[in-house]
Amino acid sequence: MSDFSSVFQAVKKASRQLTGIKDEAVQKVLSDLADLMVLQSDFLLAENQKDLDRMDKENPMYDRLLLTEQRIKGIAQEMRQVSNLPSPLQIRLEEKMLPNGLFLEKVTVPLGVIGIIYEARPNVTFDVFSLALKSGNGLILKGGSDADASNQAIMTLIHHILEKHHLPKEAFLLLPPDRTATKALLEAVDFVDVIIPRGSQGLINFVRENAKVPVIETGAGIVHTYVDESADLEKAKAIIHNSKTRRPSVCNSLDCLIINQNRLSELNELIQPLLKSGVKIFADAPAFDALAPNDLISEADDSHFGTEFLSLQLAIKTVQNLEEALEHIAAYSSKHSEAIVSENQEHIDQFILQVDAAAVYANSSTAFTDGAQFGLGAEIGISTQKLHARGPMALNELTSYKWVIRGNGQVRN
């Protein structure tokens, strides 16, 4: 910790200046940074390629690591959306006048200094900076070695824009990608208010088990979609295919298709789009027996359920009814995103009521679990816990509150 104490202290000190920045200035910074990242796409892509060259293309993390010109434009657009959102600070949540004349206000304030530990996702560096600046929080980033060249390039652009606008770049720190830095951040109780891990279940478990700083988990996504007895087949085909194949390496992608046994006769048709996209299927015994032979289809074992594949792989579980589907989800869900495809409103209502997850869908792809898609601009991650925040952690979730009490000489007996 001693090697990092001085830089952590600098972040904490500089972060106190952020609450005094007018929102118009924040909007200008983020707008200029969005323009600059598009203008400097060649630089970003060249640095990103250095990271890509060190990773096997078959690694599920490869797609997360990959930057393209189109993705950079998309990140820039999300940054502009964050810029244009209302400030989440100094919002009066509650007010009251006490009988003794004290006037109480409950107002939103930044969390303080946020530590982010994440793996091979350089877009996170841009996203969390925009959210932290807009919400008045300092930021200590600990990216993985897989994305170090990309992250350093991104921080170069961020610091350039902050200096241009005479804002404290010291409030936003990128740590070196080594374990010493990780240990120091996890133990920085005097400098960091909360740590948010973003990545695999292994990373999240490591942070939770070793952090001395409070942790908000943005959990892995073990995602299910239940095709009910009453499901519309065409809706189900489109939803299942999109949920699995749109971006299989992200946390909202589908891992397990649960199918009512009375729809097994249509399972071959249901999975045809998946097979055309090269999805490898692990089917339980009833589903396997119902499927036509295919090199992409094999029998599932216990290890295939409760697994976040992060690739073009999918498990299939057969159930007798909705209650059995709910039991399976309760046993294996990571409480991220769960969906039902059904035309039975009673079943839909029961599913929504009983499934314990941050996002619960009826007749829709789980690919929408995303801060930008929810109209939040961007996100730091998808919180799967229940304390403080749940679901996409965007601007409002990066604030706490304080009580402000105004009096006129009152004393307590």
Side-chain angles (χ1 to χ4, degrees):
M1 167 64 73
S2 58
D3 293 339
F4 292 93
S5 293
S6 59
V7 290
F8 288 171
Q9 178 63 48
V11 174
K12 183 176 181 178
K13 181 178 180 180
S15 70
R16 294 198 293 267
Q17 302 176 43
L18 299 177
T19 54
I21 302 172
K22 293 186 181 299
D23 193 52
E24 294 81 1
V26 171
Q27 290 178 339
K28 182 61 175 171
V29 169
L30 295 181
S31 176
D32 283 359
L33 180 57
D35 292 342
L36 181 64
M37 60 191 289
V38 174
L39 186 65
Q40 292 291 329
S41 290
D42 289 346
F43 166 61
L44 293 173
L45 294 176
E47 295 303 300
N48 181 239
Q49 189 61 49
K50 294 178 182 178
D51 293 327
L52 293 170
D53 289 343
R54 297 194 305 269
M55 182 177 285
D56 183 349
K57 289 187 177 181
E58 299 303 314
N59 189 325
M61 301 294 286
Y62 190 90
D63 181 63
R64 292 188 175 194
L65 175 60
L66 176 66
L67 289 177
T68 65
E69 188 172 338
Q70 192 59 38
R71 287 186 180 183
I72 290 172
K73 289 179 180 178
I75 297 167
Q77 182 56 34
E78 289 185 4
M79 186 172 292
R80 294 186 181 99
Q81 291 175 6
V82 172
S83 170
N84 292 325
L85 289 172
S87 171
L89 301 177
Q90 294 301 308
I91 295 173
R92 187 181 295 113
L93 302 174
E94 188 177 341
E95 63 179 45
K96 63 176 72 175
M97 179 71 77
L98 300 183
N100 62 7
L102 289 176
F103 182 64
L104 277 61
E105 296 174 290
K106 184 180 180 181
V107 297
T108 56
V109 296
L111 290 174
V113 175
I114 301 172
I116 308 291
I117 300 179
Y118 57 114
E119 294 170 321
R121 295 193 66 168
N123 64 293
V124 171
T125 309
F126 276 126
D127 290 345
V128 298
F129 168 73
S130 63
L131 292 168
L133 181 65
K134 184 78 174 182
S135 58
N137 289 290
L139 196 60
I140 300 177
L141 298 170
K142 172 57 182 68
S145 58
D146 289 334
D148 188 49
S150 304
N151 289 333
Q152 288 194 50
I154 292 168
M155 287 304 294
T156 297
L157 300 188
I158 289 172
H159 283 165
H160 172 77
I161 289 294
L162 290 171
E163 287 182 327
K164 175 183 174 182
H165 289 268
H166 308 291
L167 296 180
K169 69 177 185 180
E170 295 81 8
F172 304 95
L173 172 68
L174 175 66
L175 292 172
D178 57 58
R179 294 186 177 184
T180 303
T182 302
K183 184 176 187 295
L185 180 56
L186 294 176
E187 297 177 354
V189 292
D190 294 326
F191 310 109
V192 178
D193 293 280
V194 64
I195 288 176
I196 303 173
R198 182 165 178 176
S200 67
Q201 192 63 55
L203 171 69
I204 293 162
N205 291 341
F206 177 83
V207 170
R208 182 179 63 245
E209 292 164 7
N210 292 277
K212 296 181 180 179
V213 177
V215 174
I216 296 177
E217 295 184 33
T218 58
I222 300 171
V223 177
H224 304 80
T225 294
Y226 170 54
V227 177
D228 192 28
E229 184 175 8
S230 66
D232 180 286
L233 181 61
E234 293 305 313
K235 286 182 186 177
K237 285 169 64 175
I239 289 168
I240 296 299
H241 184 259
N242 182 255
S243 298
K244 178 70 262 182
T245 66
R246 178 189 169 273
R247 284 195 68 187
S249 67
V250 298
C251 57
N252 58 28
S253 66
L254 181 63
D255 297 295
C256 182
L257 163 61
I258 306 174
I259 186 164
N260 187 285
Q261 63 180 5
N262 295 323
R263 301 303 294 270
L264 284 176
S265 62
E266 298 166 289
L267 184 57
N268 279 294
E269 183 177 351
L270 179 63
I271 69 164
Q272 282 308 304
L274 297 173
L275 297 177
K276 289 179 180 178
S277 295
V279 176
K280 188 173 183 180
I281 303 289
F282 304 102
D284 69 359
F288 184 79
D289 290 342
L291 290 170
N294 189 293
D295 290 343
L296 289 171
I297 301 173
S298 58
E299 282 201 72
D301 58 40
D302 290 342
S303 70
H304 294 119
F305 300 107
T307 294
E308 184 184 26
F309 290 108
L310 300 173
S311 60
L312 289 174
Q313 301 181 81
L314 179 72
I316 300 180
K317 171 68 176 177
T318 307
V319 296
Q320 297 182 50
N321 49 42
L322 172 60
E323 286 70 24
E324 194 173 329
L326 292 169
E327 285 295 323
H328 185 85
I329 291 171
Y332 292 101
S333 174
S334 64
K335 303 182 180 181
H336 188 292
S337 300
E338 306 291 357
I340 182 173
V341 184
S342 176
E343 297 301 309
N344 184 318
Q345 190 59 49
E346 184 178 335
H347 285 189
I348 291 172
D349 292 343
Q350 183 179 350
F351 187 92
I352 290 172
L353 180 65
Q354 294 188 10
V355 167
D356 183 10
V360 183
Y361 291 84
N363 294 318
S364 175
S365 167
T366 57
F368 289 103
T369 306
D370 175 88
Q373 292 297 313
F374 281 18
L376 306 176
E379 72 196 28
I380 276 190
I382 308 295
S383 171
T384 55
Q385 65 183 46
K386 298 179 182 179
L387 292 179
H388 180 67
R390 199 176 198 199
M393 288 195 63
L395 286 176
N396 291 336
E397 288 71 35
L398 297 184
T399 65
S400 182
Y401 59 81
K402 64 182 175 184
W403 288 95
V404 178
I405 303 95
R406 304 180 191 277
N408 188 29
Q410 288 90 337
V411 295
R412 182 174 176 178
N413 295 330

